[in-house]
Amino acid sequence: MTGMASGPRVRRSGPLEWTREHLLAFVALLIFVFLLAPNVVMLVMSFNQPDGKYNYVWHQFSLNAWAHPCAVGGMCASLGLSLEIGVVATIGATILGTMVAFAVVRHRFRARSAINVLLFLPMAAPEVVMGATLLTLFFNVVGPGSLGFWTITIAHVMFSLSYVVVTVKSRLAGMDPTLEKAAADLYATPRQTFLKVTLPLVAPGIAAAALLAFALSIDDYIITVLTAGTAETFPMFVWGSVQRAVPPQIDVIGSMILLITMAGVAVSLGLGRFRAGRQRG
Amino acid sequence: MTGGDIIGSHAGGDLRLTRLTKRFGGFTAVDDVELTVGQGRFFALLGASGCGKTTTLRMVSGLEEPTQGQIFIGEQDITDRKPHQRPVNTVFQNYALFPHLDVFENVAFGLRRRGVKGVREPVQQMLELVELGQLARRKPSQLSGGQQQRVALARALINQPQVLLLDEPLGALDLKLRRQMQIELKRIQTEVGLTFVHVTHDQEEAMTMADTIAVMNAGKIEQLGSPAELYEHPATTFVANFLGQSNLVSGTIKEVNGDVVAVSAQGRRLTMPTGGCRVTRGAVIVGVRPEKVHLATDTDTVPAQHNVLPGGVITDTSFIGVSTQYLVKMSWGEELSVFEQNTGGQLLRPGTEVALHWDPEQTFGLDGAQDIDAGADVDTDAAT
Amino acid sequence: MSAPVRSAPAPETAEPPPPAPRGRRKLLPYLLLLPGVAWLVLFFLVPILSSVSGSIQTGSLDTGYTLAWRWANYSDALSQYWPQLERSLIYSLLCTAGCLILAYPLSYFIAFKTGKWKNLLMALVIVPSFTSFLIRTIAWKTILADNGTVVSVLNDLHITNLLAAVGLTQGDHVLASPAAVVCGMIYNFLPFAVLPLYTSLEKIDPRLHEAGRDLYCSAYQTWRRVTLPLSMPGVVGGTLLTFIPSVGDYINAQLLGNTNTTVIGQKIEDLFLRNQFGYPTGSAISVVLMVAVLVIVLTYIRKAGTEDLL
């Protein structure tokens, strides 16, 4: 810095400076509002008593929808189907995807590039194409009657697989490789090393991957509608309701899912902090 | 399941490496190494990055398979055994503590894998030994570097291995802590009486802690011996330059008269004990440690029997505190170092004309066919 | 020799390459890969490849399909559905641009300005998308309702007039217009743009910003010359994961648009589910889309390799 200046250095303050410095935060806030507004709307509208068949405009406060969430015909059945499919597809995708992730991170093998591309494409390809071509496969190879629970599940495993691989891979790659050598040094057989060291350390990644697969499954519409045949999942029901009638129960279910997910995240974050806090004592 | 009866017992034996070689494709990392570490000794493998010391260590631990050669502990050949079957434990450079287990479980890990019942007592005792008794339930992420290091040590020691391998374990600690830990490790080793093999590139560390040092260079052992032996009687220019500093001057042997060797170097006649000279005729490199050399300006008197190299000019004077380090440029262009102990005398300024002199008994002679700068430019503290 | 103060540990000797496994260990990776890869080959690759053959067939649901090598299917499909294809491309481009413009500041803010709240805020970005996106998109119908607050404000500010002039809306309404569709698309795909961008930004050492400022860069220049180039992998990743899937998306067009905003996705679904002659044509369009996707992905790989894909 130069020597003594002629007079005190003026520190520019005032609304303009304040805005400039906090502009980014302000913009980020706006974007957050953009992201979260529909969730808030959904929560609010679940307490609405619509005037007519469509729950689009606020009319009157009512707890009716929360009191009778399954009052709408077919909705809870479709939700049940979605949950069933979700569980089965999650198990399948997580197991297959974790195995692939281990192979990709820990091993050398041929056709690595080709397999990387194959794993990437389902994440990038248009869903409508994946669904339509899968429909054709089932239709031609097995027959039109085959469409239903299993075809949907197969499709869900297919498109969740890559996401599971990405999630587990990132956790696995971040693991210190010396740890497994240390375990071997301390008399752990390869099997013991895997069970006592590798698996516990990768477990959070696998859990996150499973959660992701489940979320992708219950929420999918496009691929599902193409491979569903006559079955109806919850998203399909919602879609159909836009034609028929949009009851507030739909917002109730959506809100429930949101609150359960938020609670789950809060609990896991809180548990982590609680455990850490106890250690310090 | 475990390697028979060796693990956990003190049946013991020396660690012996015979013709141990490791090649990676065309590159030979460890070249035909022969080594015996006496049971209960503190042994250091010293060398710069890439010299093969870590690879050798890994072969002993079983994490690396030798291309050739064998490894024995006592009479048992453990060359083909997997790591978990060897009575050998490692303290890793980055500690490798299991982040998902607390300190207690980390230390107990090896015991549990071997099916030992009643781990509480041994673990507590071991934690007391390394002075971490209060932190048994903490996770590694909640410990300081020094504490993590001690957990790593405890975790390995508790299994009473025949050989404990330490892979540059003090590298991540700051200077003061390192000094402390060096003394600690030495104390613990004396107390438990196990064989320690310590790999390091810090020659001061090796000299402080080890009973025996092996200096490695390019996959081979340059010299093996006690710190004093290596320092006072280096066998090669590499060892002379790598361990401490040396002044090395090329010359030719003129005659060997009983227990005195006379050498002609740079036009001067220098003598040294026959026992300190590695060759008996031909080209020789005369060496003397800087702290053994004295500076004489014209006015001082030089003892008659001293080796003298006149015609030097001081180019740098560094006052270190305990000593003053001079760099002196000689008439033939070489720069030699002189460390004068700080006994209250006057500092000599750069530009002063001086003569170097020292007691011939302190001289050593090396084979003149070597590279005089071997081991000198190796920056042992820099990242590779 | 005086020991200089150590600042960082000297790293190990160069890590030797992992040894080539022998015997049975060589099989292990293939065994691990087999189920997953086989699944994808069977249920992703094969169907798409077989649609190539489907695209050149003729026939109908009743009469069956025969492989007639009717390449004219392509020209027919393209000429008939070109408007929808074009519209999809435009919407997707607008959507991708919008997503990047919004995702970058948000990711930057979370990555650099929020310290220990980072993870919580990222959760806030991701978690809402765990609710049914159909329901959330329907919620936009409420937000952008004709006499609702948002639209009234936009009307008062004459923004709707501006949009109408460009053809993005009509009259006083925002709903049932291209603007609403693109808005819905941006909303739906924003998290997909934020994630890769955030991951890439988070890896940047903040001291690089300090170095930039130290070397005479203004705040803008620091961003332009230091941050932006280093975050390019994230930008490209976000673009790929937003643009390509959005081309086939039709949920937003259906829920928030009108009959003039039909996109190619709706047509494909239609052809496959509700048109008995639709299979070859639908396959043709699918092939066209997949080829476009492949071209884009392969161009990316050419520049960046495959290791960072996943």
Side-chain angles (χ1 to χ4, degrees):
Chain A
M1 293 296 188
T2 55
M4 298 308 261
S6 55
R9 197 179 302 277
V10 173
R11 175 133 176 262
R12 283 177 301 165
S13 62
L16 190 63
E17 267 308 305
W18 189 90
T19 319
R20 255 191 68 187
E21 258 165 57
H22 294 88
L23 184 65
L24 190 59
F26 188 61
V27 168
L29 183 66
L30 284 179
I31 301 176
F32 260 118
V33 168
F34 177 71
L35 265 180
L36 298 174
N39 288 81
V40 173
V41 168
M42 173 186 72
L43 266 168
V44 167
M45 295 305 279
S46 68
F47 292 102
N48 184 29
Q49 172 101 327
D51 177 26
K53 285 198 291 182
Y54 295 94
N55 190 24
Y56 294 153
V57 179
W58 181 264
H59 182 241
Q60 191 185 328
F61 181 87
S62 159
L63 288 172
N64 188 42
W66 283 93
H68 307 282
C70 280
V72 182
M75 188 180 79
C76 285
S78 71
L79 190 60
L81 185 64
S82 281
L83 288 172
E84 270 182 62
I85 295 176
V87 169
V88 178
T90 300
I91 295 176
T94 308
I95 295 179
L96 295 185
T98 306
M99 287 168 66
V100 171
F102 267 92
V104 167
V105 176
R106 288 297 172 77
H107 296 272
R108 293 161 51 166
F109 51 88
R110 282 196 236 162
R112 210 189 167 87
S113 300
I115 292 192
N116 277 338
V117 177
L118 180 63
L119 288 168
F120 175 72
L121 282 177
M123 289 195 286
E127 284 204 8
V128 72
V129 169
M130 290 197 281
T133 52
L134 206 50
L135 165 67
T136 319
L137 182 79
F138 290 138
F139 198 86
N140 289 338
V141 171
V142 188
S146 69
L147 300 170
F149 178 85
W150 285 110
T151 52
I152 302 178
T153 311
I154 290 176
H156 283 204
V157 171
M158 181 268 291
F159 72 70
S160 307
L161 198 74
S162 310
Y163 292 96
V164 171
V165 174
V166 171
T167 314
V168 176
K169 176 185 183 232
S170 121
R171 179 85 188 177
L172 198 54
M175 202 179 106
D176 181 359
T178 352
L179 292 175
E180 286 167 341
K181 296 183 192 150
D185 181 85
L186 291 163
Y187 315 111
T189 60
R191 189 167 153 268
Q192 285 176 328
T193 306
F194 181 77
L195 287 175
K196 296 280 177 190
V197 176
T198 318
L199 214 49
L201 288 172
V202 189
I206 300 182
L211 227 57
L212 183 59
F214 187 73
L216 288 171
S217 169
I218 26 174
D219 208 21
D220 182 74
Y221 175 74
I222 297 181
I223 296 190
T224 312
V225 75
L226 284 162
T227 52
T230 49
E232 192 180 46
T233 62
F234 182 66
M236 289 170 70
F237 179 87
V238 174
W239 180 273
S241 74
V242 175
Q243 263 76 322
R244 304 189 291 263
V246 180
Q249 274 83 356
I250 287 190
D251 291 305
V252 169
I253 302 289
S255 304
M256 278 204 248
I257 299 178
L258 178 67
L259 291 172
I260 293 178
T261 333
M262 281 173 64
V265 170
V267 163
S268 62
L269 278 180
L271 255 179
R273 234 179 263 148
F274 173 65
R275 268 205 220 109
R278 244 185 42 185
Q279 294 294 337
R280 269 179 260 280
Chain B
M1 191 255 309
T2 57
D5 44 17
I6 279 195
I7 295 180
S9 76
H10 276 292
D14 299 343
L15 171 67
R16 243 183 334 128
L17 310 179
T18 52
R19 311 216 55 180
L20 200 59
T21 308
K22 180 68 185 178
R23 276 187 276 269
F24 295 107
F27 171 66
T28 307
V30 179
D31 198 351
D32 211 21
V33 163
E34 291 270 345
L35 190 50
T36 304
V37 179
Q39 188 197 349
R41 313 283 284 165
F42 199 126
F43 186 88
L45 263 179
L46 175 65
S49 301
C51 70
K53 59 191 193 299
T54 305
T55 312
T56 308
L57 198 79
R58 288 160 65 97
M59 284 195 279
V60 176
S61 74
L63 295 171
E64 202 77 65
E65 272 179 44
T67 314
Q68 258 183 331
Q70 288 171 296
I71 304 170
F72 292 89
I73 295 188
E75 295 306 312
Q76 294 261 357
D77 182 349
I78 62 168
T79 320
D80 292 322
R81 297 213 198 152
K82 296 257 172 53
H84 61 274
Q85 295 164 327
R86 298 190 187 203
V88 171
N89 291 119
T90 309
V91 179
F92 291 85
Q93 188 172 14
N94 68 342
Y95 316 138
L97 298 181
F98 302 123
H100 59 296
L101 302 174
D102 61 20
V103 168
F104 186 95
E105 284 303 324
N106 260 286
V107 176
F109 193 85
L111 296 180
R112 292 204 191 279
R113 296 293 80 73
R114 283 159 45 203
V116 172
K117 302 285 174 231
V119 298
R120 240 181 99 91
E121 276 257 1
V123 171
Q124 268 313 121
Q125 278 178 12
M126 185 52 68
L127 286 177
E128 297 297 330
L129 181 67
V130 296
E131 293 172 18
L132 287 177
Q134 304 305 317
L135 305 176
R137 289 299 163 194
R138 294 257 182 110
K139 285 272 178 66
S141 56
Q142 296 165 308
L143 302 176
S144 72
Q147 290 168 332
Q148 288 181 6
Q149 212 262 352
R150 279 182 271 160
V151 174
L153 185 63
R155 186 177 73 173
L157 273 181
I158 198 173
N159 304 289
Q160 295 176 317
Q162 299 289 332
V163 179
L164 182 69
L165 305 173
L166 300 108
D167 186 4
E168 307 202 51
L170 305 183
L173 304 175
D174 62 67
L175 196 59
K176 242 184 161 184
L177 198 51
R178 224 170 44 241
R179 294 260 179 270
Q180 227 179 312
M181 284 309 302
Q182 285 168 6
I183 301 174
E184 273 297 301
L185 277 175
K186 185 77 185 149
R187 172 183 74 81
I188 293 176
Q189 192 266 339
T190 320
E191 217 173 290
V192 298
L194 298 175
T195 310
F196 275 31
V197 176
H198 183 111
V199 159
T200 179
H201 60 267
D202 183 339
Q203 35 109 0
E204 272 189 37
E205 188 165 286
M207 297 221 281
T208 312
M209 299 168 73
D211 305 322
T212 316
I213 302 179
V215 178
M216 276 189 83
N217 181 33
K220 288 193 186 295
I221 296 187
E222 291 262 339
Q223 188 175 1
L224 192 146
S226 71
E229 261 176 65
L230 259 57
Y231 189 79
E232 303 296 356
H233 304 288
T236 65
T237 48
F238 184 88
V239 178
N241 283 320
F242 188 80
L243 215 56
Q245 284 185 38
S246 297
N247 292 313
L248 300 176
V249 181
S250 304
T252 327
I253 296 186
K254 282 290 158 217
E255 56 179 357
V256 182
N257 251 338
D259 50 358
V260 175
V261 176
V263 174
S264 167
Q266 302 297 348
R268 303 291 305 179
R269 187 174 182 280
L270 306 171
T271 58
M272 70 177 91
T274 315
C277 191
R278 303 272 170 176
V279 289
T280 46
R281 54 194 167 87
V284 68
I285 294 179
V286 179
V288 62
R289 296 280 183 189
E291 69 274 8
K292 315 279 202 291
V293 180
H294 305 284
L295 290 178
T297 51
D298 309 284
T299 51
D300 293 357
T301 43
V302 176
Q305 69 275 32
H306 271 200
N307 285 328
V308 185
L309 288 175
V313 178
I314 298 180
T315 55
D316 187 79
T317 307
S318 297
F319 176 63
I320 308 291
V322 300
S323 63
T324 307
Q325 301 190 351
Y326 296 99
L327 269 181
V328 182
K329 192 161 188 144
M330 308 308 292
S331 55
W332 61 93
E334 193 179 346
E335 262 187 344
L336 301 178
S337 315
V338 179
F339 300 165
E340 290 274 26
Q341 192 171 20
N342 184 4
T343 48
Q346 282 273 28
L347 261 70
L348 297 172
R349 304 262 219 80
T352 316
E353 287 176 4
V354 291
L356 274 59
H357 66 97
W358 68 92
D359 181 352
E361 291 291 312
Q362 308 280 355
T363 323
F364 55 87
L366 307 171
D367 186 342
Q370 298 169 77
D371 176 7
I372 204 172
D373 289 317
D377 278 336
V378 177
D379 194 345
T380 59
D381 290 330
T384 353
Chain C
M1 184 163 91
S2 52
V5 176
R6 216 172 285 261
S7 56
E12 292 179 30
T13 56
E15 264 299 315
R22 290 130 12 135
R24 202 148 33 111
R25 286 211 69 217
K26 233 189 196 158
L27 275 184
L28 186 59
Y30 298 102
L31 289 175
L32 287 174
L33 286 172
L34 186 65
V37 171
W39 197 278
L40 283 182
V41 167
L42 195 53
F43 298 115
F44 172 76
L45 213 51
V46 165
I48 291 184
L49 289 175
S50 65
S51 67
V52 175
S53 107
S55 65
I56 46 179
Q57 294 177 3
T58 51
S60 79
L61 216 51
D62 300 326
T63 62
Y65 299 102
T66 48
L67 184 61
W69 296 90
R70 191 167 180 274
W71 295 98
N73 279 337
Y74 281 94
S75 43
D76 286 350
L78 285 175
S79 58
Q80 187 175 7
Y81 297 111
W82 176 248
Q84 283 82 14
L85 206 48
E86 189 190 31
R87 201 173 291 132
S88 295
L89 277 171
I90 297 179
Y91 288 176
S92 294
L93 282 171
L94 287 173
C95 164
T96 309
C99 279
L100 284 177
I101 293 176
L102 290 184
Y104 206 103
L106 187 62
S107 311
Y108 189 96
F109 177 73
I110 301 181
F112 294 118
K113 306 279 185 185
T114 50
K116 55 177 179 157
W117 298 104
K118 248 192 243 192
N119 288 329
L120 183 64
L121 286 174
M122 273 312 279
L124 222 54
V125 171
I126 309 289
V127 166
S129 37
F130 278 178
T131 338
S132 168
F133 80 101
L134 280 174
I135 301 182
R136 289 180 290 129
T137 313
I138 292 178
W140 277 103
K141 280 184 184 280
T142 307
I143 298 179
L144 296 176
D146 286 344
N147 293 316
T149 336
V150 175
V151 176
S152 307
V153 168
L154 287 177
N155 274 327
D156 291 339
L157 292 176
H158 297 289
I159 295 183
T160 26
N161 295 351
L162 202 69
L163 291 173
V166 192
L168 283 174
T169 55
Q170 264 181 337
D172 288 348
H173 317 295
V174 176
L175 266 185
S177 71
V181 173
V182 174
C183 172
M185 286 171 81
I186 295 179
Y187 169 75
N188 268 314
F189 286 100
L190 193 54
F192 290 96
V194 170
L195 263 176
L197 213 45
Y198 171 78
T199 313
S200 158
L201 280 170
E202 213 234 342
K203 289 195 188 123
I204 299 180
D205 185 347
R207 285 176 295 185
L208 290 173
H209 292 154
E210 291 175 5
R213 303 305 294 268
D214 181 81
L215 291 165
Y216 317 113
C217 285
S218 67
Y220 168 71
Q221 285 174 325
T222 310
W223 172 76
R224 170 95 176 68
R225 302 256 165 228
V226 178
T227 319
L228 186 59
L230 287 173
S231 62
M232 274 322 259
V235 173
V236 173
T239 313
L240 277 182
L241 285 177
T242 309
F243 178 72
I244 303 179
S246 66
V247 172
D249 175 80
Y250 60 89
I251 308 259
N252 293 285
Q254 181 87 4
L255 292 177
L256 301 171
N258 55 48
T259 45
N260 288 329
T261 64
T262 40
V263 291
I264 199 65
Q266 283 161 302
K267 289 301 170 191
I268 297 182
E269 194 219 16
D270 227 32
L271 285 167
F272 273 92
L273 286 182
R274 283 175 284 275
N275 185 333
Q276 61 163 329
F277 299 101
Y279 171 58
T281 323
S283 303
I285 307 181
S286 302
V287 170
V288 169
L289 280 183
M290 272 316 288
V291 167
V293 169
L294 265 179
V295 166
I296 298 177
V297 172
L298 289 176
T299 320
Y300 170 80
I301 292 176
R302 177 77 61 80
K303 296 224 166 149
T306 60
E307 278 307 311
D308 289 325
L309 268 184
L310 293 183

